[in-house]
Amino acid sequence: MALDTKQISDRIKVFRKGQKLSQNDFAVRIGFKWHQVKDVETYKTKPSAEMIASIGEVFAVSTDRFLKEVGVPRTKTERTVPLHEKQFPFM
């Protein structure tokens, strides 16, 4: 199932912060201007297919991590699995 624009923007922001990059440094690495990254992260504009593809190419990650619900990093708005479920999946 595809995610909405806000969720995709949140995933890009979480990914950037996980790389410990400022908006400017991230933008430079993916070939965009810092304000384009800022606008996506603040929901002012939608992330373009080109931006998502560039992130995938530069950081060697699947674009699915930003576009699909399966196999993507968790954001604050998503349910996280309680520790006991991770340790004991049969519960």
Side-chain angles (χ1 to χ4, degrees):
M1 180 176 197
L3 301 171
D4 67 30
T5 302
K6 184 178 182 285
Q7 290 171 310
I8 295 169
S9 295
D10 288 344
R11 290 171 190 273
I12 291 171
K13 184 176 184 177
V14 167
F15 180 78
R16 174 185 64 79
K17 287 185 171 191
Q19 298 296 309
K20 299 183 191 286
L21 294 171
S22 68
Q23 288 176 336
N24 185 63
D25 291 341
F26 186 71
V28 168
R29 290 197 54 191
I30 64 172
F32 286 79
K33 306 266 188 223
W34 74 269
H35 64 84
Q36 292 173 297
V37 172
K38 176 189 67 79
D39 288 349
V40 165
E41 290 184 359
T42 58
Y43 319 123
K44 189 173 179 181
T45 60
K46 295 178 181 180
S48 66
E50 293 82 10
M51 179 181 279
I52 294 169
S54 182
I55 294 168
E57 186 176 316
V58 170
F59 291 96
V61 295
S62 171
T63 56
D64 286 353
R65 104 183 279 141
F66 306 106
L67 302 173
K68 295 184 179 179
E69 290 200 34
V70 178
V72 293
R74 298 275 180 202
T75 64
K76 292 179 183 177
T77 58
E78 292 179 340
R79 178 186 178 273
T80 56
V81 179
L83 183 59
H84 71 278
E85 286 181 28
K86 290 180 182 177
Q87 292 173 326
F88 307 104
F90 52 84
M91 291 181 82

